[in-house]
Amino acid sequence: MAGKKTLINLTLIDGTADGALKCINKVQDGVIFRINLDDVPNHLNMPEMKQCGIYFLFGKKNGKAAVYIGQANTRKNGNGILGRVAEHKKPQEDFWNQAFVLISSGNTIGATELNYLENQFCNLAINAGAYEIVNAADPNTGNYSDEIEITMDPLIEYTATCLKVLGYDLFTATEKAKEKEDPFAECLKLFMNRDGGERGIVDAKVVKQGEQYILLKDSIVAIKPTTSCPKDVKKQREELLSDKVDKTGKVLENITFNSPSGVSQFVMYAASNGKIDLKDADGKTLKELL
């Protein structure tokens, strides 16, 4: 969500930087309003606030930055999105102090678009991990077409940019979230593969982290040793069998080794030169890579 020049026009609705403001971009159809909790009643009769749209309620819960993401459609009583926001002014939802409202300048967002936007915003925020998501359930995506995705995704990017500019970096993944997604993202990834036979299939994934080599969980290692398998490798495999490797050869948890040959011998249940037998996704040996 970065790299492109974006022009955002801000209008200070109340005439102060701390009050209600309006964000527009001539390229995007979306209009974003920021309204403080105490100012919500003062803006309920704005024509734009009678429309349907997406809203974000920001505040703190249990000492952590929190957000509620919801949608609102127009109602028979004339209330629109800000009327829905006002309904969140109750003791059990007292965590928030600012609301951001996303509507369409042409009032073209319908029920399908609302479902898609709400679901995408929630999932992006959850994956980023920067805020506690107050929503009780994962919103339904509904049935949407490619056209909905193509037209709404730029609006999602624009909204993320506006929120970030205004102090709410809701969709940038935290370091903790990145580690959860792939703790070995920066590590050299290596592989060992062999078709079946009496010693079983080998499908092992190894990462080089510093001077250590980590055999990753769910790798498949040989289930029978060769006649020339080193005694220390046999002993190691026997000790770890059922604890870290099941009878089918599946690795049950990450196992760390201090050398490339240590891990390759463990995987192959045989004598092995790790610098030759460990290869990257392009087939280059560890020796070539080093």
Side-chain angles (χ1 to χ4, degrees), residues 13 20 24 38 59 134 154 170 175 181-182 193 195 201 207 238 252 267 288:
I13 298 174
I24 62 172
D38 294 337
V134 181
L170 180 58
E175 290 302 317
E181 182 179 337
D182 184 1
N193 304 97
D195 292 335
I201 294 172
V207 294
E238 289 168 0
L252 304 177
V267 168
E288 291 176 302

Side-chain angles (χ1 to χ4, degrees), residues 71 167 197 242:
Q71 62 163 283
S242 79

Side-chain angles (χ1 to χ4, degrees), residues 1-267:
M1 298 181 183
K4 295 183 291 185
K5 292 183 178 179
T6 302
L7 177 63
I8 301 173
N9 293 322
L10 297 180
T11 300
L12 306 181
I13 298 174
D14 297 332
T16 66
D18 296 328
L21 57 81
K22 176 181 179 181
C23 309
I24 62 172
N25 179 296
K26 292 183 179 179
V27 178
Q28 296 298 335
D29 181 44
V31 181
I32 297 172
F33 292 85
R34 184 193 72 188
I35 300 177
N36 295 324
L37 170 62
D38 294 337
D39 292 334
V40 168
N42 301 328
H43 299 282
L44 285 172
N45 292 322
M46 289 177 61
E48 295 96 331
M49 297 305 161
K50 304 292 185 180
Q51 295 185 26
C52 60
I54 299 292
Y55 61 91
F56 304 83
L57 307 179
F58 286 101
K60 283 192 174 182
K61 190 171 185 179
N62 301 321
K64 182 181 178 182
V67 63
Y68 182 98
I69 303 171
Q71 62 163 283
N73 219 321
T74 52
R75 302 182 183 184
K76 292 181 180 179
N77 60 8
N79 284 338
I81 188 165
L82 199 59
R84 177 69 184 99
V85 169
E87 293 175 5
H88 288 277
K89 292 183 65 176
K90 46 191 176 183
Q92 60 267 40
E93 295 183 358
D94 62 354
F95 74 95
W96 66 282
N97 52 43
Q98 275 195 334
F100 280 78
V101 169
L102 168 65
I103 64 170
S104 164
S105 59
N107 199 14
T108 56
I109 295 178
T112 303
E113 289 86 354
L114 287 176
N115 285 336
Y116 178 76
L117 288 170
E118 184 184 19
N119 181 270
Q120 291 297 304
F121 281 131
C122 281
N123 285 323
L124 286 169
I126 289 169
N127 292 336
Y131 284 72
E132 179 179 339
I133 311 303
V134 181
N135 299 52
D138 185 22
N140 179 26
T141 55
N143 296 316
Y144 62 88
S145 63
D146 291 340
E147 289 75 16
I148 294 293
E149 185 174 353
I150 291 169
T151 54
M152 291 296 104
D153 282 356
L155 184 56
I156 292 173
E157 291 187 18
Y158 168 63
T159 302
T161 300
C162 283
L163 291 177
K164 188 172 183 177
V165 167
L166 295 171
Y168 294 99
D169 196 359
L170 180 58
F171 304 114
T172 300
T174 62
E175 290 302 317
K176 186 176 181 180
K178 290 177 183 177
E179 288 175 6
K180 185 177 180 181
E181 182 179 337
D182 184 1
F184 304 113
E186 304 301 321
C187 295
L188 174 62
K189 293 177 174 61
L190 302 163
F191 306 89
M192 294 185 72
N193 304 97
R194 192 195 65 203
D195 292 335
E198 65 174 13
R199 295 202 305 116
I201 294 172
V202 170
D203 183 12
K205 301 174 183 65
V206 177
V207 294
K208 183 179 184 301
Q209 189 175 56
E211 297 302 316
Q212 293 184 322
Y213 294 82
I214 303 172
L215 176 63
L216 298 182
K217 178 184 176 183
D218 295 329
S219 291
I220 305 297
V221 299
I223 56 175
K224 290 184 179 180
T226 61
T227 55
S228 60
C229 180
K231 291 182 179 180
D232 60 332
V233 175
K234 284 185 179 180
K235 182 180 178 181
Q236 187 182 39
R237 283 292 300 269
E238 289 168 0
E239 290 175 349
L240 293 178
L241 190 63
S242 79
D243 181 21
K244 295 187 178 181
V245 180
D246 69 14
K247 293 181 180 180
T248 68
K250 184 177 180 179
V251 177
L252 304 177
E253 61 181 81
N254 295 347
I255 306 173
T256 301
F257 298 84
N258 294 322
S259 69
S261 291
V263 66
S264 66
Q265 289 184 143
F266 183 90
V267 168

